Amino acid sequence: MTALFALATSLLWGLADFGGGLLTRRTPALTVVVASQSIAAVVLGAIVVATGGWSTAGPQLWFAVAAGLVGPIALLSFYKALALGPMGVVSPLGSLAVAVPIGVGLFLGERPGLLQIAGIAVAVAGVVLAGGPQLRGAPVQRQAILLTLIAAAGFGTVFVLIAEASSSVTGLFLALFVQRVTNVVTGGAALAVSVRRGAPALPEGGFPWASLPALAFVGLADVAANGTYSVAAQHGPVTVAAVLASLYPVVTALAARGLLRERLRAVQAAGAGLALFGTVLLATG
């Protein structure tokens, strides 16, 4: 069950990142984040009301609040790092997020077998290579590396927090709703500051109503990914769940290859193959 839900997480996050990347080509990134998360919050709010999720409210919801605060900060740091570039260095470094939940799992006493350790090493190496690392060329600014490491730490922390935010299905809906509301408030505040500094909040044509279905998909896929990861982490080793869930860059790269006809570099193709092989080792270990 852990492997199945964790792989579903990587699929959903990979597709959400792909959709979000396409949307940010036409709409400011902060607007995409706030709009997509707002749609997800509305849908989750309706689900919480329908399922009576409020009855499960408890101290664990603070984990969801924390995840909602950390997530936008990590995302903004990552976007800023990508802007500073080069992306061929920044993107693979972002996959270091997996180190946080792995470290927490080991600290809590999880001890993967030798086959699983090999699978973790192979899968993580594959994810880094699938990002198409730039091994030479333009110099990398220290600020870009620092921001990327902050983003990776933030993403990894969200992994840990959301897994602790609930212990039941209805509780999970409530936790995800609280996380999304916090995301919207935090992202909205950042958007307001950005607008005050002169950055546009909308593209030239106004709000992209035609992109509303895509915004909804990105927001809901992100929510579903958080949910499946929470289930995976609660029903199996966090070390395994985190590594399998971190395969989402491979999904994004393959989606770009299949839908946009982008050509995979040799290092990316090799990385995708290693990631899949590492998955097999983890699933059978």
Side-chain angles (χ1 to χ4, degrees), residues 49-99:
V49 171
T51 59
W54 294 112
S55 62
T56 64
Q60 74 274 14
L61 282 182
W62 287 111
F63 288 108
V65 173
L69 290 172
V70 173
I73 295 172
L75 191 60
L76 291 176
S77 298
F78 193 57
Y79 282 154
K80 180 65 175 176
L82 288 172
L84 292 172
M87 290 188 182
V89 174
V90 171
S91 181
L93 279 178
S95 63
L96 293 176
V98 72

Side-chain angles (χ1 to χ4, degrees), residues 42-169:
V42 170
V43 173
L44 280 168
I47 294 175
V48 168
V49 171
T51 59
W54 294 112
S55 62
T56 64
Q60 74 274 14
L61 282 182
W62 287 111
F63 288 108
V65 173
L69 290 172
V70 173
I73 295 172
L75 191 60
L76 291 176
S77 298
F78 193 57
Y79 282 154
K80 180 65 175 176
L82 288 172
L84 292 172
M87 290 188 182
V89 174
V90 171
S91 181
L93 279 178
S95 63
L96 293 176
V98 72
V100 177
I102 287 178
V104 171
L106 294 175
F107 177 77
L108 293 177
E110 290 185 4
R111 295 295 180 264
L114 290 178
L115 197 59
Q116 288 181 322
I117 291 175
I120 289 172
V122 172
V124 171
V127 170
V128 172
L129 292 176
Q134 182 173 313
L135 302 178
R136 56 173 177 253
V140 186
Q141 296 185 36
R142 289 184 179 178
Q143 185 181 3
I145 294 178
L146 178 61
L147 286 169
T148 305
L149 294 177
I150 291 173
F155 291 142
T157 301
V158 170
F159 270 45
V160 175
L161 291 171
I162 200 61
E164 298 294 329
S166 67
S167 57
S168 65
V169 174

Side-chain angles (χ1 to χ4, degrees), residues 83-264:
L84 292 172
M87 290 188 182
V89 174
V90 171
S91 181
L93 279 178
S95 63
L96 293 176
V98 72
V100 177
I102 287 178
V104 171
L106 294 175
F107 177 77
L108 293 177
E110 290 185 4
R111 295 295 180 264
L114 290 178
L115 197 59
Q116 288 181 322
I117 291 175
I120 289 172
V122 172
V124 171
V127 170
V128 172
L129 292 176
Q134 182 173 313
L135 302 178
R136 56 173 177 253
V140 186
Q141 296 185 36
R142 289 184 179 178
Q143 185 181 3
I145 294 178
L146 178 61
L147 286 169
T148 305
L149 294 177
I150 291 173
F155 291 142
T157 301
V158 170
F159 270 45
V160 175
L161 291 171
I162 200 61
E164 298 294 329
S166 67
S167 57
S168 65
V169 174
T170 52
L172 178 59
F173 286 133
L174 179 59
L176 293 175
F177 171 69
V178 170
Q179 181 191 11
R180 284 308 164 296
V181 171
T182 309
N183 277 346
V184 171
V185 172
T186 306
L191 181 60
V193 172
S194 177
V195 170
R196 283 190 177 184
R197 292 180 176 178
L202 296 172
E204 292 183 1
F207 187 84
W209 294 105
S211 299
L212 205 57
L215 287 167
F217 172 79
V218 169
L220 293 175
D222 182 54
V223 165
N226 278 265
T228 53
Y229 177 74
S230 179
V231 174
Q234 289 173 7
H235 288 82
V238 172
T239 48
V240 174
V243 173
L244 293 179
S246 72
L247 297 178
Y248 60 89
V250 177
V251 175
T252 303
L254 292 177
R257 173 69 179 88
L259 298 177
L260 301 181
R261 303 302 178 189
E262 290 185 2
R263 296 183 61 183
L264 291 179

